[in-house]
Amino acid sequence: MDDLAFSSLKTIWDYMHMDMQPCPADCIIGFGNYNGDIARRAAELYQEGYAPKVLFTGGLGRNTNTLWRTSSEAERFASIARQEGVPEADLILETQSTNTAENILFTRKKLEEMNLPVKKILGVHQPFMERRIFAALKVYWPEIQAVITSPQVSIEEYLDHSIRQGLEEKAAIDVIVGDFQRMDLYAKKGFQIPQDIPSQAWEAFHTMVQLGYTGQLISE
């Protein structure tokens, strides 16, 4: 990746971060995908006493249905969390969802079926998904209080970890560029609340598209 691509990617990365500070909640929710660092971050927050339960949500989605066949995102995350010391009794799994909206809706239903009174959640997602999951929660679970955090990693660390988990560097970058595009398109479709997107972020996005990072873009 050349200097122009890295600078543009960092602009997008910084915009998608919300930098919210973790605080006590009723449940930690790890949103599923390929990045096991999410499970480690959720386990870390559990061990620090931020919430009494950890729920992992995710079946197989657009970035994992070609990587894995025998287990869901949630099951893989739970395995990591157990290794990090989260007891089985405090783990909850939702293994059917395939996208962000289903992550939220199926999680909400799961907690309701278990009669768990959850008014505040501590959500854990990819660093570049913080803003998008926050905006989606406002549509699909508007009454919930949500604080969003992510693995505490740099872009370089994220790319290195992604490669070690089976993605090529370009594919990992494509995901970030695609999720930025969804901030705008999904708000227009009503899938999440609108967010102000600064001109610098738009310029960085168009630069990344011109450089060929288009593998996760969707038609408008």
Side-chain angles (χ1 to χ4, degrees), residues 18-212:
M18 296 191 74
D19 296 316
M20 302 176 80
Q21 292 299 309
C23 61
D26 301 309
C27 186
I28 297 164
I29 298 178
F31 291 91
N33 53 70
Y34 57 85
N35 189 356
D37 288 344
I38 291 172
R40 295 180 186 91
R41 176 65 167 157
E44 176 186 47
L45 294 167
Y46 171 86
Q47 297 287 12
E48 292 175 356
Y50 281 101
K53 298 288 184 182
V54 178
L55 186 150
F56 291 119
T57 173
L60 292 174
R62 65 185 170 99
N63 295 313
T64 55
N65 58 11
T66 59
L67 289 177
W68 308 327
R69 296 293 184 185
T70 59
S71 61
S72 66
E73 297 165 352
E75 289 167 331
R76 284 178 175 268
F77 278 12
S79 178
I80 293 171
R82 292 185 195 101
Q83 295 171 18
E84 298 294 323
V86 179
E88 188 70 35
D90 291 337
L91 285 171
I92 305 168
L93 302 187
E94 183 288 300
T95 62
Q96 302 303 310
S97 55
T98 63
N99 56 49
T100 298
E102 289 182 355
N103 285 159
I104 298 169
L105 292 171
F106 293 3
T107 290
R108 181 179 181 179
K109 181 179 179 182
K110 182 79 172 182
L111 292 170
E112 289 173 351
E113 290 174 347
M114 295 178 69
N115 292 316
L116 289 178
V118 174
K119 295 183 179 180
K120 188 172 188 176
I121 63 169
L122 184 52
V124 185
H125 213 317
Q126 300 270 44
F128 56 86
M129 274 291 294
E130 288 185 5
R131 185 177 294 276
R132 194 157 84 79
I133 194 67
F134 180 84
L137 281 161
K138 292 296 185 181
V139 171
Y140 294 106
W141 202 354
E143 70 273 21
I144 200 70
Q145 299 179 55
V147 172
I148 309 299
T149 185
S150 61
Q152 306 296 284
V153 295
S154 65
I155 296 175
E156 296 92 337
E157 289 169 328
Y158 163 75
L159 293 175
D160 178 65
H161 294 182
S162 296
I163 291 167
R164 288 194 279 111
Q165 294 177 90
L167 268 71
E168 296 180 356
E169 180 184 84
K170 183 180 182 300
I173 296 172
D174 282 343
V175 173
I176 300 174
V177 176
D179 278 322
F180 176 85
Q181 182 203 33
R182 286 163 174 77
M183 285 297 305
D184 179 59
L185 292 186
Y186 282 6
K188 291 175 179 176
K189 294 176 181 291
F191 300 160
Q192 58 192 49
I193 62 169
Q195 299 280 284
D196 179 56
I197 302 178
S199 59
Q200 297 94 325
W202 274 119
E203 290 170 7
F205 168 73
H206 290 305
T207 296
M208 295 302 286
V209 171
Q210 291 169 3
L211 291 172

